[in-house]
Every structure is written in C-alpha cells, then in structure tokens.
Amino acid sequence: MLALVGLVVILAGIIGAQVKWADGAQWTPRLGLDLEGGTQIILEPVVQGGGKVTAETLQQSVDIIRARVDGSGVGEAEITTEGGRNIVVAVPGKIDDRQRQLIKQSSQLRFRAVLAAAPAQTAPAPTATSTGSPSATSPSGTATKPAASATPTATGNATPSSQQRGLPQALVKGSTTTPTPTASAKPSGGATPSATPTDPSDPAWITPELEQKFLALDCTDTTALQGSTDDPKKPLVTCSSDRTEKYILGPVEVDGTDIKDASAGLQPTQNGGTSTTWEVRLNFDSQGANKFLDVTKRLYTLPEPRNRFGIVLDGLVISAPSANEPIAGGSASITGNFTQQSAMALANQLKYGALPLSFQVQTEEQISPLLGAEQLQRGLLAGLIGLLLVILYSLFQYRALGFVTVASLVVAGVITYEMVVLLGNSAGLRLSLAGVTGLIVSIGVTADSFIVYFERVRDEVREGRSLRAAVETGWRRARRTILAADAINFLAAVVLYVLAAGGVRGFAYTLGLATIIDVVVVMLFTHPLLSVLARTKFFGQGHRWSGLDPERLGTGISLGVKANLGTIASRRAAAAASTRQDA
C-alpha cells in the first residue's frame, strides 16, 4: 500500500513538472476531435509533370499521412479523402508549427549526390593573411554496408573540409560580397568539369547560374524551399533542414520509394554486444539495392564533399552522409552525432517520406466539436450511473466488505485520471467519446476482479479456515483467475487497437490502460487492505454486517476470536481433548 501511495505521488509530481516546464501541458485530460474541435487542413495532391492522381496513390498517401500524424503524438486525428481528389486532415485542438509542417510535408524523398557544400552562415571576406577556414556543421555521417553478421555497422562522422568543397575558394569561404562567376573559375575537389556531365557526381553540372544561385541562397528562411517540386533530372540548390549548411546536389539517383524499411537503434559491436552509438538502418528493395550499390561504388572514390549523398525530403537535405565503401545487399546504416530522438526522427522521415504525391494546402480552418459538451456530459452521466450500480450491488452483496470495492474503485479512478493526463501531456493521448466509453466499461472489469477475490475468500471461510488464513489462501487461488481474466481483456484490447482505426482505437487504448491499472490496484491495494481488515475485531469475528457472517455464509460455525485462530481440524482436536478431560 505504501508502494501504491508512492506511485500516485510520483505520477502527480511528473504531471506537475510537465505543467511547470513543458509547453502546453495541463492538469486536465486532452479531449478528442469530437469533444473539443480542432484544425482542419484540406490538401490538394500534385503530381509532378501533370500526371493523374489515382485512387491507389491517394489511399497510400492517406495511410502514410496518418502514420506521420500518429507518430507525432497527435491522438484521435481523422484523415480522409474528399471527392476522390483531396485529402482532409482534421486534428484535435490547435496544432503547432511542427505538426502543421509534418502534415503539409512534401512526398518526395530522394537521394542526390553532393556536388558542393558550404556553411550556411556567411563569414567575413578573407584577407591576404587569413589562414583559417570554416568547418561545416550540417547533419552528416558515414553510410556503410552491413558487417558479416548482417547487422548494419558504421564508423565515423565525416565533416566536410573547406578545402574540398567542389567550388572556388571565394564561394567556399562565404565572402560577404557576391563575386561574379567567370569562365576561368573551376571547382576544386580533384575533378575538372567537362562540357557534358558524364555522371550525377560530375562537377560539370555546376553552371555559372547555379553558382550564383548557390551564393545568393539564404538558409535562415527555408520556407520557400519546402514543398517545391524540383526536377529529378536536374541539379538542385538547397539547404539542410537545420539551416547550417547549403548544397549543390546532382540529379536524383535513388527515390524514396526504393526504401523498404528504416529503423533507429544502438549500433552493435563486433563481439555481438551493443554500443552506445545510435544509428539509422536502411533497407532497400531489390531495385533500390542495385541503384544504391552503383551510387556508393562511385562516391567512395571521390574526395570531399563529392563522396557524400544528400537525402532530400520536402526540398531540404535531412542528412548528408558520406560513403566510404561500396554498399551491396540492400542494407546500410548511417551514423553520426545522433541522439535517440534525432535517430528516430530521421528513421521516420526515411520510412514514411516516400509519399507518391506532393501537396498544396487549399484551406486551413478551425472546426467546432462534432459532438460537443452535451454528449460528453451524457457519457459521464452514464459512467456515474454504472459506478453507482456497482457500488450498490457490492454493498448489498458484501455489506461492509463492499466498501473495499468502493475504495479500490476510487484508487483505480485516481490512477487512471493521472495516467490519462500524463499520456496526454507526453504522448498526445486525447479522449474521444469512444475513449470515455472504454473507461466506463473498465469499471465492470475492475469490479470483476474484486468479486472473484471476495468470493474465493468466502469459500475459504465456508471450508472452516480462519479469516486471516482465508484471505491469504483465497488470494493465492484468486490471483491466477484475476490475471487470466485481465490478460484476456488486455489481449482483446491490443488486437482491437492494431486492427481498428479512428475512435475504435481510442476505445481499445483506454480499455487496455484500465486493465493494467486494475492489476496494479488489486495487488497493491485490495489484497493488502483486506489483509489489514482481517486483523480487526469487526471482520475477524464475522460481524453480521461485515459480509463474512458465518450464518449468512451457511457454515454454522462461529468465527469467535479463539476460533478465528484455528482450523476445523484444530477445533475438533480441542473438542476431543475437552471431552476426555470431562470423562
């Protein structure tokens, strides 16, 4: 019971810390779209080249946008199609800029070779005595092929050198004045441009116009670059998503649709253990594996920065790792200065970034609740009525013992409320009417556990055991039944959550959460409380209002203080000894 009190206090402390230091945290549960309203965004799909939007590609877009929105922690969002052409995204409450950008994010995930790179921040113009050169801080890394164990491994984190940028030194060092490109200006980096590019890494792609665009690019505001429909057959001038580096990239060589899967994890060691380095693992399909092998065969022989490939999503470079060896087999890993959060974010971008369409926002507006406060009040009223019926039945059936049920339900309600608020602040959980229904149904699930335990204790008393012995013996037998029943309920909730969508998932989530809380309460509160009550005179002697009255249970045996200390066998032995003494 002390552990339970500690759990309640810790949960309250975490919520208090969230309210004090986390943006948007609150002490009350977050409500879903049907109860609170929210933001509705209508997206118009755009196919590059004026192609036709098919029903298959539109549905695939809906599925991936739903995965993106759910992955961002926004619960109970609705993503549907409208008129076979548009996609309607309705998100509960007010969305922040990060969530809005995630919804609008372009579908084009592409791999391009890096032709030139420079720090996004401009530096003072170099003087004759200047010997220093800036270093890049863009998201870079090293892509390697899997080790012999078939587990992707990686080493190193490449930082581009300003001496090998693939552009003239005036461009590399970020002069504050914009020089005019001349015919004599040749890229450095170990290659001389030819009249016609021979491959996507050929510096001949860098024309004077492209250099001028590169110099004029300001990465402090990347809004104009996001959502652009770039030509995959032409080079691209863009910035990194963290605005620290800008690039000239070659034509597209690998598309995001060639990625089969992406995940984040700790890099394994050579002896089979796990290191503390986070990596992003990539798996390509058969066609993508062949493309990626051809790319890495060429890149690993080139100097910096042309041994790197930029991963472009929504017009911005989300990562620019280098290739230090040919990567065959369709599996690779990217390492760098990753944290767990940044590695998982990049993995999600790679996994869900391959939308077949790009989008233009038609409208964005606030929408009113679909059901409103009246329906919520009715749902809460239904829950209150159900709770009162459970309490009345418990008091009628178990008398004073029914107050243990009431206390257990109160404790379960407090923990459930704290968990809903905590998950709402940290994981974006929102209560829809279906979720509220799941919590109401859980009242009966929780009461079932108490009934199973109480009936087992009463059965033990009927068999002649003392109340203290019956409480412990009954608990050992009832525990298996309670865990089995809760396991079945939890399994049903998991299956429903995985297979369902929309509000039904909210019902399954809250039902599963309440089932777990039921196990915690019955083990940390109900059983210990009953053990304490068994030591009292009121329950221990089987008072007629205790719910353990021997006559009401049909035993015909008094649970007096002395009798409460023994079993039927001991009382029979004591009676036989007394008879012998009388004789």
Side-chain angles (χ1 to χ4, degrees):
M1 294 178 70
L2 290 176
L4 184 67
V5 172
L7 175 63
V8 173
V9 172
I10 290 173
L11 290 177
I14 294 176
I15 296 173
Q18 289 178 331
V19 173
K20 183 175 179 60
W21 289 294
D23 294 334
Q26 58 190 41
W27 285 101
T28 57
R30 298 177 183 270
L31 300 180
L33 189 65
D34 55 348
L35 301 176
E36 183 182 13
T39 305
Q40 178 176 278
I41 301 176
I42 299 180
L43 305 173
E44 179 185 4
V46 177
V47 180
Q48 187 174 354
K52 183 180 180 181
V53 178
T54 64
E56 291 77 13
T57 55
L58 195 64
Q59 186 57 47
Q60 184 180 357
S61 300
V62 169
D63 293 339
I64 298 180
I65 289 178
R66 179 178 290 112
R68 284 179 173 180
V69 172
D70 291 343
S72 69
V74 179
E76 300 294 337
E78 294 185 2
I79 298 96
T80 58
T81 59
E82 181 182 62
R85 176 65 184 175
N86 297 332
I87 295 178
V88 180
V89 182
V91 180
K94 293 183 179 180
I95 61 175
D96 54 29
D97 292 337
R98 179 181 64 87
Q99 294 166 345
R100 181 179 293 106
Q101 186 56 44
L102 190 65
I103 294 171
K104 299 177 181 179
Q105 192 162 272
S106 171
S107 62
Q108 299 162 352
L109 178 70
R110 292 165 172 171
F111 290 68
R112 293 172 176 263
V114 175
L115 301 177
Q121 295 81 3
T122 57
T127 61
T129 58
S130 175
T131 59
S133 60
S135 60
T137 59
S138 66
S140 61
T142 300
T144 63
K145 64 184 179 180
S149 61
T151 303
T153 59
T155 57
N157 181 23
T159 302
S161 170
S162 63
Q163 302 300 326
Q164 296 175 322
R165 289 288 178 179
L167 283 177
Q169 290 300 308
L171 302 184
V172 169
K173 295 185 178 182
S175 174
T176 55
T177 60
T178 303
T180 302
T182 62
S184 61
K186 296 182 179 181
S188 62
T192 301
S194 57
T196 302
T198 58
D199 58 60
S201 294
D202 194 335
W205 290 103
I206 306 177
T207 62
E209 292 77 12
L210 212 60
E211 286 186 353
Q212 187 68 30
K213 185 177 180 180
F214 179 79
L215 283 172
L217 180 60
D218 181 11
C219 290
T220 58
D221 184 9
T222 58
T223 305
L225 299 174
Q226 293 175 320
S228 58
T229 54
D230 53 286
D231 191 340
K233 298 181 180 180
K234 295 181 180 180
L236 176 68
V237 177
T238 187
C239 300
S240 62
S241 58
D242 62 358
R243 305 177 183 180
T244 59
E245 196 171 13
K246 55 184 178 180
Y247 305 89
I248 300 179
L249 306 175
V252 175
E253 298 188 76
V254 181
D255 288 317
T257 52
D258 295 323
I259 297 177
K260 184 167 59 176
D261 191 21
S263 61
L266 293 173
Q267 184 180 359
T269 59
Q270 294 181 352
N271 59 4
T274 302
S275 67
T276 59
T277 302
W278 282 92
E279 66 176 4
V280 177
R281 306 182 185 100
L282 282 173
N283 290 308
F284 296 90
D285 57 22
S286 56
Q287 184 178 4
N290 294 331
K291 293 180 183 178
F292 199 65
L293 175 60
D294 294 338
V295 172
T296 53
K297 276 183 179 180
R298 183 185 72 250
L299 293 182
Y300 94 100
T301 62
L302 299 176
E304 280 278 357
R306 291 167 55 224
N307 66 337
R308 302 165 68 191
F309 57 91
I311 305 175
V312 182
L313 177 63
D314 193 24
L316 299 176
V317 176
I318 59 175
S319 183
S322 60
N324 59 2
E325 58 185 337
I327 301 176
S331 296
S333 68
I334 301 174
T335 58
N337 297 323
F338 287 126
T339 62
Q340 179 180 2
Q341 182 178 5
S342 62
M344 294 180 66
L346 178 58
N348 285 333
Q349 287 176 315
L350 295 173
K351 184 175 182 179
Y352 299 124
L355 280 170
L357 305 171
S358 59
F359 300 95
Q360 291 181 354
V361 178
Q362 286 189 326
T363 61
E364 178 178 338
E365 59 184 357
Q366 295 297 120
I367 57 176
S368 59
L370 301 178
L371 297 176
E374 183 179 356
Q375 281 73 14
L376 177 60
Q377 291 173 359
R378 291 182 179 181
L380 296 177
L381 179 60
L384 179 60
I385 293 174
L387 179 61
L388 290 176
L389 291 176
V390 170
I391 292 175
L392 291 176
Y393 173 81
S394 298
L395 295 178
F396 174 78
Q397 179 70 15
Y398 299 107
R399 301 193 180 184
L401 197 60
F403 286 106
V404 178
T405 300
V406 176
S408 299
L409 287 174
V410 170
V411 173
V414 171
I415 296 178
T416 301
Y417 184 88
E418 289 182 330
M419 287 300 301
V420 170
V421 173
L422 179 63
L423 292 173
N425 292 335
S426 59
L429 174 65
R430 289 181 176 270
L431 281 181
S432 64
L433 195 58
V436 174
T437 304
L439 295 179
I440 294 173
V441 172
S442 69
I443 296 175
V445 174
T446 304
D448 284 344
S449 299
F450 308 150
I451 292 174
V452 169
Y453 183 26
F454 294 161
E455 288 297 330
R456 177 58 68 179
V457 171
R458 297 174 80 175
D459 287 342
E460 297 297 325
V461 171
R462 289 189 184 99
E463 293 178 4
R465 288 186 173 86
S466 66
L467 181 59
R468 294 174 60 180
V471 166
E472 298 305 323
T473 305
W475 169 245
R476 286 194 295 269
R477 296 182 178 180
R479 181 174 55 193
R480 294 191 296 267
T481 305
I482 294 172
L483 292 178
D486 282 340
I488 293 174
N489 288 330
F490 184 76
L491 182 61
V494 170
V495 172
L496 189 61
Y497 182 85
V498 172
L499 298 181
V504 180
R505 299 187 72 186
F507 171 83
Y509 191 93
T510 54
L511 181 61
L513 177 64
T515 302
I516 296 175
I517 293 174
D518 173 43
V519 175
V520 174
V521 171
V522 76
M523 288 191 172
L524 298 184
F525 182 78
T526 308
H527 170 228
L529 179 60
L530 202 57
S531 299
V532 172
L533 294 178
R535 302 172 185 271
T536 64
K537 181 178 180 180
F538 181 81
F539 286 94
Q541 293 185 3
H543 191 278
R544 61 189 301 263
W545 291 106
S546 67
L548 296 172
D549 181 9
E551 294 183 2
R552 190 166 182 268
L553 295 179
T555 63
I557 301 174
S558 175
L559 291 181
V561 176
K562 294 182 178 180
N564 191 42
L565 301 177
T567 63
I568 292 179
S570 62
R571 290 197 295 272
R572 288 177 177 175
S578 177
T579 301
R580 287 194 297 270
Q581 290 176 0
D582 293 341

